[in-house]
Amino acid sequence: MTNKLGYKGIDFFRIIAAVLVITIHTSPLELCCPTGDYILTRVIARTAVPFFFMTSGFFLLSDGCADIKRLKKFLKKTLLVYLVSILLYLPANVYNGYFSADNLFLNILKDIFFDGTFYHLWYLPASALGGAVVFFAVRKAGYGKSLVIFLFLYIIGLLGDSYYGVISGIAPLKAVYDCIFAVFDYTRNGIFFAPLFMLLGGVVGKKGKKTENSGFSESGSSHGGRLGTDLVCAAVSFGLMLAEALILRNFNLQRHDSMYVFLVPLMWFLFNILVRFKGKRKKYISGLALIVYIIHPITIIAVRGEAKALGLERLFIDNGIVHFAAVCVCSFAEGIGLLLVREILRKPRGRHLR
């Protein structure tokens, strides 16, 4: 990038996205307001992972071309984090009987490459696979043809996710999806889900190269008209996605709830809004958001365990809002602590006296 300013909007939303992921796994409003909890965790929070995918695509393809060195660096970092995460959650998998399941070897392969070895780790193999797929698609076919391909794959994934009830009664289509689900537990993976959003992030990056010298301000005021249009379109897209989700829920059509039709335009306009806000980059934010994403299930287990040990279940487990707040505070505290340790270890040591 020729512009030394970082993307404050993206950095800021990384933290919001990390918090939204925690809401998905804690359901803070489930007991007091089930519909509100559904809207929070199954609609609003479903922007988090597509945002992370778009951010990866934005920086992976930020020069408007496929740079093999950048891909290698991205894959190396992602797979290293995934390996550490697999080892981190190994004791939890042993405890919950993961290794006593039938067809263990095939399940391990499926989980490592597609579903993740713990419920939230699917994002990492999806990022690695999606990044590689998008990289080579853009290099061989360009953005336009790749967009058509990935939209088609997204539609296939959509019919196995939020719209599964539409096709489950059609025998030939159900047979196809039965085969798909024999390989993947869900269609929200690095084939059907991640590539489209990573490509869209790359398109935003490519578009930005044409206008990055046109004077973006931190407030986005230099392009106020276009910003206003994006805000309106994002609001309309969210309203349509909310209606879509509630209708699908009402008719019990969802097998899962990660993929929606109107999630695509919503993320496009939202990401275009975020990239307008530039400023000095806070390098620690991306690392903090990633750490929180990785460790928050351990924190959930720890908070529940401590609450039971101290006899505080009613406060820290039964009260969903307090439980959510405790997991957030502890996860971010742990993340900040780990970053501080990393910085201490990275500091150059003085030379030994001879």
Side-chain angles (χ1 to χ4, degrees), residues 141-273:
Y143 282 88
K145 292 180 180 178
S146 297
L147 180 60
V148 173
I149 294 169
F150 297 145
L151 276 171
F152 177 70
L153 290 174
Y154 186 80
I155 292 170
I156 294 175
L158 195 68
L159 293 175
D161 194 271
S162 287
Y163 285 82
Y164 182 70
V166 175
I167 60 94
S168 60
I170 304 173
L173 285 177
K174 186 177 185 302
V176 171
Y177 279 88
D178 285 344
C179 293
I180 291 175
F181 292 129
V183 181
F184 322 110
D185 286 344
Y186 303 99
T187 52
R188 52 105 172 95
N189 55 40
I191 297 175
F192 301 112
F193 188 23
L196 177 60
F197 290 105
M198 296 183 87
L199 180 72
L200 290 177
V203 172
V204 175
K206 180 183 178 183
K207 183 180 66 171
K209 292 297 291 183
K210 298 178 181 179
T211 57
E212 67 178 0
N213 296 321
S214 60
F216 285 109
S217 69
E218 291 189 23
S219 64
S221 59
S222 60
H223 290 263
R226 180 61 180 166
L227 177 60
T229 301
D230 286 342
L231 285 168
V232 171
C233 290
V236 171
S237 297
F238 174 74
L240 291 171
M241 185 175 119
L242 175 59
E244 177 187 13
L246 292 175
I247 291 170
L248 291 169
R249 179 183 183 229
N250 183 64
F251 288 98
N252 196 29
L253 296 174
Q254 295 172 294
R255 184 179 185 272
H256 195 52
D257 44 39
S258 290
M259 304 171 74
Y260 297 100
V261 170
F262 290 103
L263 178 61
V264 178
L266 171 60
M267 294 311 303
W268 170 259
F269 293 116
L270 175 61
F271 204 81
N272 272 282
I273 292 167

Side-chain angles (χ1 to χ4, degrees), residues 72-85:
K72 289 179 178 179
K73 182 178 179 181
F74 171 75
L75 291 178
K76 181 180 178 181
K77 177 183 176 181
T78 303
L79 294 176
L80 178 60
V81 171
Y82 188 33
L83 176 60
V84 172
S85 301

Side-chain angles (χ1 to χ4, degrees), residues 49 52-53 56 78 115 120-128 290 293:
V49 170
F52 286 133
F53 285 142
S56 296
T78 303
D115 297 329
H120 69 308
L121 295 183
W122 69 271
Y123 163 75
L124 294 169
S127 293
L290 178 60
Y293 182 93

